[in-house]
Amino acid sequence: MSNLSAEGGHGAVPLEGVPTGVDVPAPEPEWPLYEVFVRGKRGLNHVHVGSLHAADDRMALLHARDVYTRRNEGVSIWVVRADAITASSPDEKDPMFAPSGDKVYRHPTFYDIPDNVPHM
Amino acid sequence: MTLTETAPGASETDLERQFEATIARNDRIEPRDWMPEGYRKTLIRQIAQHAHSEIIGMQPEGNWISRAPSLRRKAILLAKVQDEAGHGLYLYSAAETLGVSRLELTELLLAGRQKYSSIFNYPTLSYADVGTIGWLVDGAAICNQVPLCRTSYGPYGRAMIRVCKEESFHQRQGYELLATMMRGTDEQRAMVQESVDRFWWPALMMFGPPDADSPNTAQSMAWGIKRNTNDELRQKFVDMSVPQAEALGVTLPDPELRWNEERGHHDFGQPDWEEFMEGVKGNGPCNAQRMAHRRRAHEEGAWVREAATAYARKQASA
């Protein structure tokens, strides 16, 4: 069984000798990718929940409802085309976030207040 | 998405060290982090084929939707099969963050080059099978999937959390269905037992070959993709299922199954691994039928995809 070892998910599948599709051009142009954000209930922010493909914005909303809110998970949905999002690099060491890294005085715990001072 | 800046000129060794450190901290790897090619490819294979399993997994039960015994059972089964489609989509969405497209993965499935779980190559011969699949097949899937909520790849773990929440409904509706039949006639009780007899061994196979025959497990565990070995999960499933079978009033078809006081676990027999390998190679009882159905559904849906694309184009230019 050496080349067909299996594991994971909804039952065993082979993890060797299976092509991944990386570096292979897509067979036909695909519907655009949309990122989906759901507001769980009033008072909460919209939170990213995943993505899906749709031909247009309206279809993206309908599919997002069916895929991501089958059990009252949301009261409001945003969909946005993934190619319209501008992102920082996710690396925590990104120089983008350096300016906030060395400003400890922005945090309340930076300041020593005597223990006998109430409500602070 | 658009990157505002290109990655800094860190060397491959630095990147690899950062990756290893993230794994060692038990932190998650996120889509655009640097990752070893082997890690990426293992994840794509695992997530894509997990997604295919969910999609193909709609068929054995979908078979019974039009013949459900009551409106209540029909509504439940419809909701369950719709969930499987949803699970497939969460997982394709997670796989796409690794640099492949859902369409490519679908093509690889349709060409038979990527696989799906062999459990779905067994036929569903009676309505009791809907219950047994919920209880045993989804029960086994829960054992596999709960630890995957803590997998090292962020999008896969998050998809698993959503899946696991819904999987509990699947297992409970199945068990309740069987319990209802067990309170019925002798004929119904016999149907349940016959169904459990057919699905017990294939359910044990879902955890994959014994650890000694699973050379990939060590690497997958080192990468934090997999959290337990095949045999650990199988043991957990057997220990979980035995009291459930007792409460239901069915026997499990394994003469070697008994409590081992010393180990604090049940001893049990091994499934027929030859049969498992035949299923993986495409020679299971329903492989040809499942693939033919999936190809037909894809081809027959082509006009819908084309029409939606044409409509979107027309609206955009209007």
Side-chain angles (χ1 to χ4, degrees):
Chain A
M1 290 182 211
S2 58
N3 65 339
L4 273 158
S5 148
E7 57 201 284
H10 211 304
V13 290
L15 290 185
E16 283 178 8
V18 171
T20 59
V22 170
D23 310 326
V24 181
E28 56 179 276
E30 200 161 13
W31 287 344
L33 186 69
Y34 285 80
E35 299 295 336
V36 181
F37 301 80
V38 171
R39 185 198 295 283
K41 57 178 185 181
R42 288 172 180 279
L44 298 181
N45 288 321
H46 285 76
V47 173
H48 181 246
V49 292
S51 63
L52 50 75
H53 289 277
D56 57 32
D57 297 355
R58 195 163 151 266
M59 184 193 262
L61 264 182
L62 290 175
H63 284 184
R65 180 200 63 188
D66 292 343
V67 177
Y68 292 104
T69 64
R70 284 194 302 283
R71 289 181 176 75
N72 305 319
E73 289 96 334
V75 295
S76 164
I77 300 174
W78 290 345
V79 291
V80 57
R81 277 183 62 148
D83 59 15
I85 294 177
T86 302
S88 69
S89 155
D91 190 336
E92 283 174 51
K93 293 193 181 62
D94 194 306
M96 175 92 149
F97 300 106
S100 78
D102 59 358
K103 294 181 179 61
V104 284
Y105 49 84
R106 289 188 176 191
H107 296 277
T109 47
F110 179 73
Y111 303 94
D112 282 332
I113 305 289
D115 288 345
N116 58 355
V117 178
H119 306 305
M120 192 174 282
Chain B
M1 286 198 280
T2 320
L3 261 168
T4 48
E5 46 198 297
T6 50
S11 75
E12 189 95 337
T13 2
D14 283 345
L15 292 168
E16 187 146 15
R17 207 175 301 130
Q18 280 174 29
F19 171 85
E20 298 290 349
T22 306
I23 299 280
R25 278 199 311 274
N26 217 3
D27 223 341
R28 300 292 183 264
I29 303 296
E30 293 295 343
R32 289 171 313 126
D33 285 343
W34 182 92
M35 61 187 89
E37 268 318 282
Y39 178 84
R40 184 186 298 278
K41 288 191 166 159
T42 299
L43 276 170
I44 292 173
R45 290 185 186 111
Q46 185 165 330
I47 301 172
Q49 296 182 110
H50 191 167
H52 300 332
S53 301
E54 301 282 356
I55 297 298
I56 297 284
M58 290 192 278
Q59 292 185 38
E61 292 179 285
N63 186 36
W64 285 96
I65 290 174
S66 59
R67 283 167 284 175
S70 67
L71 188 56
R72 178 176 184 269
R73 292 292 169 196
K74 186 172 186 160
I76 292 169
L77 187 53
L78 269 170
K80 199 204 153 187
V81 172
Q82 190 192 14
D83 276 354
E84 307 297 357
H87 296 178
L89 293 176
Y90 305 155
L91 286 158
Y92 284 128
S93 159
E96 287 195 314
T97 64
L98 291 157
V100 285
S101 80
R102 186 179 79 190
L103 203 54
E104 287 168 65
L105 300 176
T106 303
E107 295 288 333
L108 287 168
L109 170 70
L110 296 180
R113 299 179 66 206
Q114 288 188 343
K115 309 290 181 188
Y116 54 89
S117 170
S118 296
I119 191 72
F120 302 115
N121 289 321
Y122 291 91
T124 44
L125 304 178
S126 79
Y127 207 79
D129 289 356
V130 172
T132 310
I133 287 176
W135 173 38
L136 293 178
V137 174
D138 294 321
I142 290 172
C143 280
N144 262 337
Q145 291 173 155
V146 167
L148 286 175
C149 294
R150 292 179 293 111
T151 194
S152 61
Y153 188 58
Y156 191 26
R158 293 191 286 274
M160 281 298 100
I161 289 170
R162 303 185 69 82
V163 167
C164 283
K165 276 186 193 161
E166 300 180 351
E167 209 74 70
S168 174
F169 145 59
H170 297 181
Q171 194 188 23
R172 291 175 67 116
Q173 66 81 30
Y175 194 83
E176 187 229 42
L177 191 164
L178 296 179
T180 307
M181 288 184 78
M182 291 302 285
R183 289 194 299 273
T185 62
D186 284 346
E187 203 183 354
Q188 286 176 307
R189 279 186 283 276
M191 272 171 79
V192 173
Q193 185 62 58
E194 189 273 335
S195 174
V196 170
D197 289 346
R198 268 186 294 114
F199 274 98
W200 175 249
W201 293 111
L204 289 193
M205 292 177 199
M206 287 175 66
F207 299 95
D211 294 348
D213 297 318
S214 303
N216 288 327
T217 293
Q219 180 61 75
S220 274
M221 288 183 74
W223 276 332
I225 296 176
K226 200 173 155 69
R227 296 294 187 181
N228 301 92
T229 72
N230 297 354
D231 285 334
E232 283 168 12
L233 293 167
R234 190 168 13 250
Q235 179 73 63
K236 195 175 162 216
F237 174 68
V238 171
D239 289 341
M240 212 172 80
S241 301
V242 168
Q244 292 170 350
E246 275 168 21
L248 200 57
V250 295
T251 54
L252 298 173
D254 180 356
E256 295 174 53
L257 183 65
R258 64 180 58 86
W259 177 251
N260 182 328
E261 188 68 52
E262 203 174 309
R263 289 200 310 125
H265 291 290
H266 292 86
D267 290 339
F268 57 96
Q270 284 292 315
D272 179 354
W273 291 114
E274 283 297 311
E275 181 185 315
F276 171 77
M277 292 315 293
E278 283 305 310
V280 173
K281 284 183 208 150
N283 304 322
C286 296
N287 290 56
Q289 185 190 334
R290 301 288 184 240
M291 287 306 296
H293 185 88
R294 182 68 191 85
R295 286 193 193 102
R296 197 169 59 243
H298 190 69
E299 282 158 19
E300 288 178 357
W303 74 269
V304 179
R305 296 192 295 275
E306 282 158 21
T309 307
Y311 179 78
R313 201 179 300 129
K314 197 175 163 193
Q315 295 298 110
S317 64

